[in-house]
């Protein structure tokens, strides 16, 4: 018997020793098994895993930086209390614990959901989650009364926690700010080194468009804030451990990005545009002094939590579209700069140009008129005539001198401040064009005549149209419209400033005298020309209208434009409006919207 007992004891000792050795090997060995697993695991990883096996995490704040407007009002980021539920073991509690049953009953009443439905859903939880109400994709927002009721329940697995919501319910500046989403393939492609070092993981949300994308490297932050809930092997709470909130603890993050946008103005113009039912298009408001972007509206609206086809919500303010007659400003500037005409020259318009199938929009023509009156009345005959006196190179050179035909937004060609690569704030901005390469090489009179009135292959964005006006108001000095003023640390200390700057063309700038003549012509447009319908308003304004003929899905449509400035006597804002894909013969919606936007600006700046 003694021998048998000794043998059994020795066997248990050997088994126990093997078990201890196995644990020691797992703790002290860097990795095991598959090669990729061995390279990924470390001793500290194994120690962490022993805790993670009984820990459940829920992210409360991704740690991503937020955006502010020019007056430091938040554009993104709000914190509210929501309801979090954690997996718990309740196989027998509903049968023996009346106090627990009463607490669950009160919770179901508060959430307006049947008790059995709540319990059944809760039993199936394998990971902690926020409570969502109905089809709402955001965690449920608790009221003050509901917070008081929850505090009295003392229910394990249920907590009211502060949740950082990225986008307000009435999120403005949608396309300009952009959106974030999970995109593992893009992360692997762009951030492979950060992934290897553990600074990023494949579940991170990254910027998909707008400033969210162009500033993604900085906005990423120092890490997330999460709540941990510890459970035993049966998903029951481990007494004494309860909940633990983990946060990066870096006083410099998350960053704050101060934009040039005016949030109140942005919201007012957004609401106004919607009352006028503009289905597709854009409104851009620039500071007339330095080209800063004060407001940028695009339609259709982007819903960052309900993204569909990108074509439905792309930023129309920086997409190039056929400009129509607003391009005549560039044609006149080119002709004046080349000396092929002057303001006193008189032209005769009888409604037909006589070649290229080109006619004037006014049946019977305008009769005899000067160059300035040609702009005021938007006469196609006048501009086709002067265009045939120009070369394609002259027209393109003047367009470049006015900031058209290239990306207009603020950018740096070299590494700037904390950025380790060139920075362009509006990464999706389209440059537009005047000619295709083939047409520029063989530009005949027909190409020049049609291009001069903003048709054929000419493309221009609303941002370029507004910045063209800023250039004229600044005597030919081209600015780079800025969307960000500075980036700050979480404690308010400045990280980097993005200065307002000009963007001179290689060929130089137009003469101040040319700019003045164009401005006088824009005043005539509103005084007695094609824009006379908007003479009455809070401010006297000036500008240029345009209607471009296009085809969409095989049907004829028009792009309607108006770009200008106000107040006329002392300009403060340059505004461009584009109403896209409108029915032919419809009233110019862009002109009406321009007047309304200017009246909003006048009231706001009183």
């Amino acid at each position: 018997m003694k021998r048998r007992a000794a043998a059994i004891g020795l066997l248990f000792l050997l088994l126990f020793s093997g078990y201890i050795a196995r644990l020691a090997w797992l703790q002290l060995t860097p990795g095991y098994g598959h090669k990729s697993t061995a390279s990924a695991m470390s001793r500290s990883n194994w120690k962490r895993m022993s805790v993670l096996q009984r820990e459940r995490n829920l992210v409360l704040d991704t740690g991503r930086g937020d955006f502010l407007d020019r007056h430091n009002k938040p554009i993104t980021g709000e914190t509210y209390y929501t309801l979090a539920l954690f997996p718990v073991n309740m196989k027998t509690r509903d049968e023996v614990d009346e106090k627990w049953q009463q607490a669950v009953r009160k919770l179901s009443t508060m959430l307006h959901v049947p008790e059995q439905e709540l319990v059944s859903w809760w039993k199936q939880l394998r990971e902690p989650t926020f409570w969502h109400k109905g089809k709402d994709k955001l965690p449920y927002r608790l009221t003050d009364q509901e917070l008081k009721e929850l505090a009295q329940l003392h229910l394990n697995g249920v907590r009211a926690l502060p949740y950082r919501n990225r986008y307000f319910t009435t999120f403005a500046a949608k396309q300009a700010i952009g959106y974030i989403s999970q995109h593992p393939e893009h992360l692997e492609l762009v951030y492979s080194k950060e992934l290897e070092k553990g600074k990023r993981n494949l579940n991170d949300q990254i910027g998909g468009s707008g400033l969210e994308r162009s500033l993604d490297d900085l906005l990423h932050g120092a890490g997330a804030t999460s709540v941990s809930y510890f459970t035993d092997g049966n998903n029951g709470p481990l007494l004494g451990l309860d909940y633990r909130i983990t946060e990066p603890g870096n006083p410099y993050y998350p960053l704050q990005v101060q934009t040039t946008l005016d949030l109140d103005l942005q919201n007012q113009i957004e609401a106004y545009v919607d009352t006028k039912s503009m289905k597709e298009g854009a409104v851009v408001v620039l500071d007339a002094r330095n080209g800063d972007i004060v407001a940028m509206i695009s339609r259709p609206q982007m819903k960052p939590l309900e993204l569909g086809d990108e074509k439905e919500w792309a930023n129309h303010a920086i997409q190039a579209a056929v400009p129509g007659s607003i391009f005549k400003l560039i044609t006149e500037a080119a002709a004046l700069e080349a000396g092929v005409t002057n303001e006193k020259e008189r032209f005769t318009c009888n409604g037909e140009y006589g070649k290229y199938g080109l006619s004037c929009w006014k049946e019977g023509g305008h009769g005899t008129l000067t160059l300035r009156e040609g702009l005021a009345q938007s006469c196609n005959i006048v501009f086709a005539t002067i265009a045939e006196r120009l070369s394609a190179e002259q027209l393109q050179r003047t367009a470049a001198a006015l900031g058209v035909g290239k990306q207009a937004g603020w950018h740096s060609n070299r590494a700037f401040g904390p950025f380790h690569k060139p920075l362009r704030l509006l990464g999706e901005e389209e440059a537009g064009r005047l000619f295709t390469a083939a047409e520029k090489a063989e530009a005949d009179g027909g190409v020049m005549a049609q291009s001069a009135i903003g048709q054929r292959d000419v493309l221009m964005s609303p941002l370029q149209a507004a910045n063209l006006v800023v250039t004229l108001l600044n005597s030919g000095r081209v600015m780079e419209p800025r969307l960000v003023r500075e980036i700050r640390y979480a404690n308010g200390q400045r990280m980097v400033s993005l200065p307002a700057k000009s963007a001179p063309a290689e060929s130089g700038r137009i003469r101040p005298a040319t700019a003045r003549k164009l401005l006088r012509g824009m005043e005539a447009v509103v005084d007695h020309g094609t824009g006379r319908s908007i003479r009455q308003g809070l401010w006297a304004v000036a500008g240029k209208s345009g209607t471009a003929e296009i085809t969409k899905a095989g049907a004829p449509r028009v792009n309607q434009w108006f770009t200008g400035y106000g107040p006329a006597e002392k300009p403060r804002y340059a505004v461009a409006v584009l109403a896209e894909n409108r029915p032919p013969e419809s009233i110019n919606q862009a002109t009406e919207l321009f007047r309304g936007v200017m009246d909003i600006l006048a009231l706001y700046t009183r």
Side-chain angles (χ1 to χ4, degrees):
M1 290 293 292
K2 288 183 180 180
R3 259 195 229 106
R4 186 178 299 171
I8 293 173
L10 181 60
L11 179 62
F12 274 107
L13 179 61
L14 290 173
L15 290 173
F16 185 73
S17 298
Y19 177 70
I20 294 298
R22 171 67 173 174
L23 285 178
W25 183 66
L26 291 176
Q27 289 283 344
L28 300 175
T29 307
Y32 73 96
H34 192 275
K35 185 177 180 181
S36 63
T37 305
S39 62
M41 298 297 180
S42 66
R43 299 177 189 178
S44 60
N45 283 343
W46 284 111
K47 294 176 182 177
R48 278 203 312 273
M49 289 299 291
S50 65
V51 175
L52 292 175
Q53 285 175 355
R54 60 179 185 274
E55 181 182 5
R56 301 289 186 269
N57 288 330
L58 194 60
V59 175
L60 302 176
D61 183 352
T62 63
R64 192 172 181 84
D66 280 313
F67 294 97
L68 309 171
D69 83 340
R70 60 172 53 201
H71 305 298
N72 293 318
K73 291 183 179 179
I75 296 175
T76 61
E78 61 170 343
T79 300
Y80 62 83
Y81 273 86
T82 188
L83 181 68
L85 291 98
F86 296 80
V88 294
N89 180 19
M90 44 174 122
K91 290 181 180 179
T92 59
R93 296 192 67 165
D94 52 350
E95 299 173 0
V96 299
D97 194 337
E98 179 61 28
K99 185 177 180 181
W100 182 85
Q101 271 189 331
Q102 291 177 358
V104 171
R105 193 171 298 120
K106 290 180 180 178
L107 179 63
S108 66
T109 301
M110 187 188 79
L111 298 177
H112 304 289
V113 62
E115 179 184 349
Q116 191 55 43
E117 183 180 328
L118 174 62
V119 172
S120 176
W121 174 79
W122 199 357
K123 281 183 177 180
Q124 297 175 17
L125 279 187
R126 293 294 177 265
E127 297 292 335
T129 187
F130 295 118
W131 177 258
H132 293 75
K133 188 173 182 180
K135 297 182 180 179
D136 193 352
K137 296 186 178 182
L138 290 174
Y140 180 65
R141 187 188 297 263
L142 292 167
T143 64
D144 291 341
Q145 180 60 35
E146 288 170 337
L147 282 170
K148 292 178 182 178
E149 293 176 13
L150 273 176
Q152 296 171 1
L153 290 182
H154 303 292
L155 191 58
N156 276 327
V158 178
R159 285 294 185 275
L161 297 171
Y163 173 75
R164 186 70 173 172
N165 176 33
R166 181 71 179 166
Y167 300 113
F168 295 104
T169 306
T170 56
F171 171 57
K174 297 174 178 61
Q175 278 92 331
I177 298 299
Y179 71 92
I180 56 174
S181 66
Q182 289 182 328
H183 199 320
E185 295 84 1
H186 183 73
L187 270 166
E188 286 184 313
L189 181 66
V190 178
Y191 298 111
S192 57
K193 292 183 179 179
E194 288 84 348
L195 287 168
E196 290 176 5
K197 295 177 181 178
K199 294 181 179 180
R200 294 245 189 185
N201 66 70
L202 290 177
N203 293 323
D204 282 348
Q205 289 188 320
I206 60 175
S209 69
L211 292 179
E212 293 278 26
R213 182 171 183 173
S214 59
L215 301 179
D216 187 66
D217 284 351
L218 294 183
L219 292 171
H220 173 63
T225 297
S226 61
V227 60
S228 302
Y229 178 68
F230 298 92
T231 62
D232 58 23
N234 295 318
N235 271 346
L238 282 175
L239 299 178
L241 292 182
D242 195 38
Y243 297 84
R244 182 181 67 182
I245 291 182
T246 305
E247 54 187 354
N250 189 327
Y252 295 103
Y253 290 87
L255 298 177
Q256 295 178 328
V257 178
Q258 186 190 37
T259 70
T260 59
L261 297 169
D262 188 309
L263 188 58
D264 288 341
L265 266 177
Q266 176 83 23
N267 287 335
Q268 286 184 46
I269 297 172
E270 292 249 10
Y272 170 71
V273 163
D274 290 338
T275 63
K276 295 299 181 179
S277 301
M278 184 173 76
K279 293 182 174 60
E280 190 174 352
V283 177
V284 176
V285 180
L286 301 183
D287 188 317
R289 298 166 300 174
N290 58 11
D292 277 358
I293 300 171
V294 180
M296 180 176 277
I297 292 88
S298 177
R299 290 294 181 271
Q301 275 193 344
M302 182 185 77
K303 298 178 181 179
L305 299 178
E306 301 175 20
L307 294 172
D309 187 345
E310 183 177 355
K311 294 180 181 178
E312 297 176 359
W313 51 260
N315 191 349
H316 290 245
I318 55 176
Q319 284 193 321
V322 183
S325 293
I326 66 168
F327 192 80
K328 290 172 181 174
L329 291 167
I330 295 168
T331 303
E332 180 173 334
L336 290 171
E337 289 289 291
V340 299
T341 188
N342 58 68
E343 280 193 301
K344 296 180 180 180
E345 182 177 359
R346 304 181 75 81
F347 302 83
T348 300
C349 169
N350 60 15
E352 296 296 331
Y353 192 51
K355 48 186 175 179
Y356 315 129
L358 194 148
S359 60
C360 191
W361 64 268
K362 185 177 181 181
E363 189 174 349
H366 292 98
T368 302
L369 67 176
T370 63
L371 180 64
R372 184 186 299 179
E373 286 305 303
L375 184 69
Q377 303 301 331
S378 199
C379 178
N380 289 344
I381 307 305
V382 169
F383 285 88
T385 300
I386 62 176
E388 286 206 77
R389 302 172 185 173
L390 294 167
S391 67
E393 181 61 36
Q394 286 174 317
L395 186 59
Q396 192 151 29
R397 186 167 59 246
T398 302
L402 291 168
V404 177
K406 60 182 179 180
Q407 292 171 301
W410 194 101
H411 72 286
S412 173
N413 290 323
R414 296 178 293 179
F416 176 79
F419 304 96
H420 302 297
K421 56 186 178 182
L423 171 66
R424 183 172 290 279
L425 292 177
L426 295 166
E428 299 93 5
E429 182 189 0
E430 295 179 354
R433 71 179 182 216
L434 271 66
F435 311 99
T436 63
E439 285 192 339
K440 184 182 177 183
E442 302 176 6
D444 58 14
V447 170
M448 292 301 296
Q450 291 173 342
S451 299
I453 61 174
Q455 290 287 164
R456 205 171 178 98
D457 295 305
V458 182
L459 295 173
M460 188 173 174
S461 72
L463 178 62
Q464 290 174 338
N467 199 43
L468 166 62
V469 176
V470 172
T471 300
L472 297 177
L473 292 173
N474 284 275
S475 301
R477 183 181 180 218
V478 181
M479 303 301 297
E480 285 189 6
R482 195 173 47 153
L483 192 53
V484 173
R485 281 184 171 180
E486 65 179 32
I487 301 173
R488 306 174 191 145
Y489 293 108
N491 61 5
Q493 181 182 346
R494 181 186 301 159
M495 171 189 267
V496 63
S497 289
L498 281 68
K501 61 177 184 172
S502 59
E506 292 182 3
S507 57
R509 55 196 276 186
I510 65 169
R511 295 189 297 268
T514 299
R516 287 194 298 270
K517 290 171 184 176
L518 291 169
L519 293 174
R520 287 197 294 265
M522 293 167 76
E523 291 173 4
V525 168
V526 176
D527 181 67
H528 56 272
T530 56
R532 58 186 176 276
S533 64
I534 61 170
R535 279 181 298 183
Q536 302 303 316
L538 298 177
W539 277 346
V541 297
K544 181 71 186 78
S545 61
T547 302
E549 297 176 357
I550 62 170
T551 301
K552 185 174 183 181
R557 309 293 284 178
V558 293
N559 286 342
Q560 297 169 342
W561 292 79
F562 200 97
T563 187
Y565 59 94
E569 64 277 8
K570 193 175 181 181
R572 298 183 63 173
Y573 299 102
V575 175
V577 182
L578 165 62
E580 289 183 273
N581 300 317
R582 297 268 293 161
E585 308 302 326
S586 59
I587 296 175
N588 192 319
Q589 187 183 41
T591 301
E592 178 189 6
L593 289 171
F594 176 87
R595 177 73 268 178
V597 170
M598 277 297 178
D599 286 344
I600 290 172
L601 291 167
L603 286 171
Y604 187 77
T605 53
R606 276 183 173 178

